[in-house]
Amino acid sequence: MQTETLVGLISGLGGAVIGAGGALLGGWLQSRTVRAERIEGYRRDAAQAALNELVQLRHELMVHDRERPAADHRYGLSGTFQDFMHAGERRLMAMNASILLIPDPQLRERLEAVYEVGSTWLLAPGLRAGGQMAWMQSAAREGTQILGAFLRGDPLPPESTGFANMRQHVAERS
């Protein structure tokens, strides 16, 4: 083979190898970026779904409290009230399920505490209707603040004093 032909062949082959390597590297970087964006999307969607459940729970508790003040202690034992509270617990369960998709362990831990405090009313014998709703309302408020900060990209807020006391009470009972 002539030298010019051989040099041309080697140059062409070298260019093809470099081009293919560049294409592979570019594809790998692009797939990595797409994967990171997809995970970020899942994370934000899960956090938004959890936040929506807590906002709706807070609204339902507020409306219920306005329509049925907790002064009647017998009401707290009624089936109507228990059904209402179980519906609230289902919202907390939906929030808890949504946070499983969030890859931030500190956030998940904080929101698991929200779930525990919010659903503790089921295990609190003698807690009256107003107290039961206060526990759930406190949990919903705490979770809303945490998720709001997370979605804004802010640092997670410190635990509120009232919520910390409730969480401590839950830990002592366990």
Side-chain angles (χ1 to χ4, degrees):
M1 229 187 235
Q2 292 183 351
T3 307
E4 297 87 19
T5 307
L6 190 57
V7 168
L9 186 60
I10 290 173
S11 295
L13 187 57
V17 168
I18 290 172
L24 287 173
L25 179 63
W28 177 75
L29 288 173
Q30 184 179 14
S31 71
R32 227 177 120 182
T33 301
V34 167
R35 182 177 184 274
E37 289 173 354
R38 187 176 59 238
I39 288 171
E40 176 64 21
Y42 291 152
R43 185 181 132 224
R44 291 193 68 73
D45 290 348
Q48 186 63 54
L51 180 62
N52 290 345
E53 290 295 339
L54 292 175
V55 167
Q56 188 63 33
L57 175 60
R58 286 184 73 187
H59 174 73
E60 290 167 358
L61 287 165
M62 181 185 67
V63 168
H64 188 272
D65 191 42
R66 211 178 14 227
E67 292 175 356
R68 291 193 179 258
D72 180 7
H73 302 301
R74 291 172 293 161
Y75 176 65
L77 302 173
S78 71
T80 303
F81 178 73
Q82 295 302 315
D83 289 346
F84 172 75
M85 293 303 285
H86 283 287
E89 185 193 24
R90 284 190 294 277
R91 289 211 178 273
L92 286 170
M93 288 169 59
M95 178 273 306
N96 202 33
S98 293
I99 66 170
L100 294 174
L101 296 175
I102 300 173
D104 183 333
Q106 181 187 12
L107 179 70
R108 280 196 319 269
E109 184 179 309
R110 293 274 311 270
L111 291 171
E112 285 168 6
V114 165
Y115 173 74
E116 287 175 9
V117 168
S119 60
T120 293
W121 67 271
L122 289 168
L123 306 172
L127 192 60
R128 297 201 169 145
Q132 292 173 336
M133 289 179 60
W135 277 63
M136 196 174 274
Q137 185 68 269
S138 178
R141 186 179 319 106
E142 188 79 10
T144 301
Q145 291 171 355
I146 293 167
L147 284 165
F150 175 75
L151 286 168
R152 288 189 307 271
D154 295 346
L156 297 182
E159 192 173 60
S160 69
T161 306
F163 183 80
N165 292 338
M166 289 178 171
R167 188 181 49 75
Q168 182 63 35
H169 185 71
V170 169
E172 290 169 0
R173 293 186 60 153
S174 298

